């Protein structure tokens, strides 16, 4: 019955032919089953039946053939149910795998998009120093090499520990300190319990770059960038803010919502969905800030270490 069900499916073209075939087979198998049952019953009966074999068979046909017919389609229906459930599960699994692959490809594309962004900005800054201060330009190249090496070490990793992310941010800040030796001050306020938390790789660098480029750099006397991280129950709260130019306008408005900020938003949405929050705010004292709230998760493979000094 199950074999015929797979050969004569009822959900394809020519289903009516398959249905007719199943009806004929149902009657044939039902009749055969009743005849076999009758022979067994007569062979084990303690006394011979007064009816002949033909008369008994006619009685069985009239009394039980309808039940045999229903039994055939009940078994066939159970077979179809298992078949369609298996196919549904296979399809759902394949769909989930394809969605995971698509999300992974999107995350990879976002990461690749972000790397050239800060690389080109840094190379432009180095180029501007070549004629004025060759030694400082050489120092920036060395730090850029260290930064790229650390980036390559985390290639394919969409999450790293906050400790690792702070070390990467420190390398970037070393480059910016060469550009703005007297203008840039950085404060780090990190809860030690947060250092082992997993965060998206290169999540702080574009935010710090945004604060320096559009908040601190335009100020003649320089400014301050503050990076903070703390644990709140089951969440990790990250903040990057500056005391520079406040609400942006014109070109600064486009910069503050450009590639870096848009990239951060997209990566957070891909990695955490609705479990994350990205918020832009303007402190009352002036400046610009970004707050990120993530689920607090840790990796046993990355124990906490002594915090870096920014």
């Amino acid at each position: 019955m199950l074999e015929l069900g797979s050969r004569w499916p009822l959900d394809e073209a020519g289903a009516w032919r398959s249905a007719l075939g199943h009806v004929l087979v149902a009657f044939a198998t039902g009749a055969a089953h009743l005849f076999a049952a009758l022979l067994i019953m007569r062979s084990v009966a303690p006394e011979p039946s007064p009816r002949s074999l033909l008369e008994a068979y006619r009685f069985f046909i009239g009394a039980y053939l309808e039940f045999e017919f229903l039994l055939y389609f009940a078994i066939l229906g159970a077979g179809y149910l298992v078949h369609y459930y298996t196919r549904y599960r296979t399809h759902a699994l394949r769909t989930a795998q394809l969605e995971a692959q698509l999300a992974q490809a999107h995350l990879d594309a976002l990461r690749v998009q972000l790397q050239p962004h800060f690389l080109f900005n840094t190379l432009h800054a180095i180029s501007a120093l070549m004629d004025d201060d060759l030694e400082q330009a050489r120092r920036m190249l060395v730090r850029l090499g260290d930064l790229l090496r650390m980036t390559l070490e985390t290639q394919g990793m969409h999450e790293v520990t906050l400790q690792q992310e702070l070390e990467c941010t420190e390398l970037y800040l070393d480059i910016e300190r060469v550009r703005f030796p007297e203008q840039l001050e950085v404060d780090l306020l990190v809860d030690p319990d947060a250092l082992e938390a997993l965060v998206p790789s290169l999540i702080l660098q574009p935010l710090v770059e945004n604060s320096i480029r559009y908040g601190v750099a335009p100020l003649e006397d320089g400014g301050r960038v503050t990076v903070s991280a703390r644990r709140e129950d089951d969440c990790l709260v990250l903040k990057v803010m500056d005391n520079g130019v406040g609400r942006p306008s014109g070109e600064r408005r486009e910069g503050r919502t450009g590639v870096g900020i848009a990239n951060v938003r997209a990566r957070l949405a891909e990695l955490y969905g609705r479990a994350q929050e990205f918020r832009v705010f303007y402190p009352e004292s002036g400046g610009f800030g970004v707050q990120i709230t993530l689920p607090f998760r840790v990796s046993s493979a990355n124990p906490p270490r002594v915090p870096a000094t920014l």
Side-chain angles (χ1 to χ4, degrees), residues 269-280:
E270 285 287 351
L271 283 169
Y272 307 104
R274 294 185 178 182
Q276 56 81 30
E277 181 184 13
F278 182 93
R279 183 172 67 88
V280 170

Side-chain angles (χ1 to χ4, degrees), residues 166 186-190 204 208 225-229 239-240 310:
L166 290 173
V186 179
D187 287 335
L188 175 65
L189 306 174
V190 177
L204 293 178
V208 172
V225 175
T226 301
V227 179
S228 65
K239 282 186 182 180
V240 176
L310 296 187

Side-chain angles (χ1 to χ4, degrees), residues 30-39 42 49 51-66 68:
H33 183 227
L34 289 175
F35 185 72
L38 177 60
L39 291 179
R42 291 174 72 93
S49 173
R51 294 181 181 180
S52 66
L53 180 62
L54 182 58
E55 289 176 342
Y57 185 57
R58 286 176 180 174
F59 173 78
F60 268 46
I61 290 292
Y64 302 113
L65 185 59
E66 182 180 352
E68 294 284 338

Side-chain angles (χ1 to χ4, degrees), residues 13-301:
W16 64 272
R17 293 192 183 92
S18 299
L20 179 59
H22 283 300
V23 169
L24 295 176
V25 172
F27 280 115
T29 54
H33 183 227
L34 289 175
F35 185 72
L38 177 60
L39 291 179
I40 294 173
M41 291 175 65
R42 291 174 72 93
S43 66
V44 299
E47 297 181 3
S49 173
R51 294 181 181 180
S52 66
L53 180 62
L54 182 58
E55 289 176 342
Y57 185 57
R58 286 176 180 174
F59 173 78
F60 268 46
I61 290 292
Y64 302 113
L65 185 59
E66 182 180 352
F67 173 76
E68 294 284 338
F69 182 82
L70 295 176
L71 181 61
Y72 175 91
F73 280 97
I75 295 174
L76 186 66
Y80 277 131
L81 182 63
V82 172
H83 169 73
Y84 287 126
Y85 178 75
T86 302
R87 191 165 71 174
Y88 166 77
R89 292 286 296 176
T90 302
H91 177 73
L93 178 60
R94 179 168 177 79
T95 300
Q97 291 173 340
L98 290 175
E99 289 178 351
Q101 292 172 2
L102 180 61
Q104 181 73 18
H106 191 196
L107 283 169
D108 291 338
L110 289 171
R111 184 183 173 97
V112 169
Q113 179 192 42
L114 184 61
Q115 290 170 346
H117 177 68
F118 78 80
L119 176 61
F120 293 153
N121 288 343
T122 304
L123 289 175
H124 178 74
I126 293 173
S127 176
L129 278 175
M130 292 296 290
D131 294 333
D132 299 330
D133 194 334
L134 186 59
E135 184 61 31
Q136 292 285 48
R138 188 176 293 121
R139 179 186 172 189
M140 287 182 69
L141 279 174
V142 172
R143 302 308 282 168
L144 177 60
D146 294 337
L147 180 58
L148 292 178
R149 182 169 58 252
M150 178 171 287
T151 302
L152 290 174
E153 289 176 354
T154 60
Q155 190 71 27
M157 298 169 56
H158 291 297
E159 286 185 314
V160 297
T161 64
L162 179 60
Q163 172 71 47
Q164 292 172 306
E165 181 65 13
L166 290 173
E167 291 175 356
C168 183
T169 305
E170 166 69 9
L171 291 173
Y172 172 76
L173 284 169
D174 277 350
I175 296 172
E176 294 298 328
R177 287 190 184 100
V178 176
R179 294 180 59 197
F180 308 104
E182 304 296 333
Q183 291 179 275
L184 177 61
E185 296 182 19
V186 179
D187 287 335
L188 175 65
L189 306 174
V190 177
D191 183 350
D193 294 337
L195 289 172
E196 58 183 320
L198 291 175
V199 299
S201 61
L202 291 178
I203 200 70
L204 293 178
Q205 184 276 328
L207 301 179
V208 172
E209 178 183 1
N210 188 276
S211 285
I212 294 175
R213 184 176 182 183
Y214 298 102
V216 174
L219 301 178
E220 293 184 3
D221 298 331
R224 181 184 302 274
V225 175
T226 301
V227 179
S228 65
R230 69 181 187 276
R231 179 177 183 176
E232 292 186 358
D233 297 326
D234 293 330
C235 294
L236 175 69
V237 179
L238 303 174
K239 282 186 182 180
V240 176
M241 58 184 183
D242 60 73
N243 64 347
V245 177
R247 294 185 178 273
S249 60
E251 180 183 351
R252 289 197 182 93
R253 180 182 298 277
E254 294 180 2
R256 292 239 156 171
T257 57
V259 174
I261 297 294
N263 187 287
V264 169
R265 286 182 183 270
R267 293 179 66 207
L268 289 172
E270 285 287 351
L271 283 169
Y272 307 104
R274 294 185 178 182
Q276 56 81 30
E277 181 184 13
F278 182 93
R279 183 172 67 88
V280 170
F281 64 95
Y282 298 92
E284 294 182 359
S285 58
F288 177 86
V290 171
Q291 176 175 305
I292 298 173
T293 304
L294 305 173
F296 189 92
R297 296 187 295 108
V298 298
S299 172
S300 58

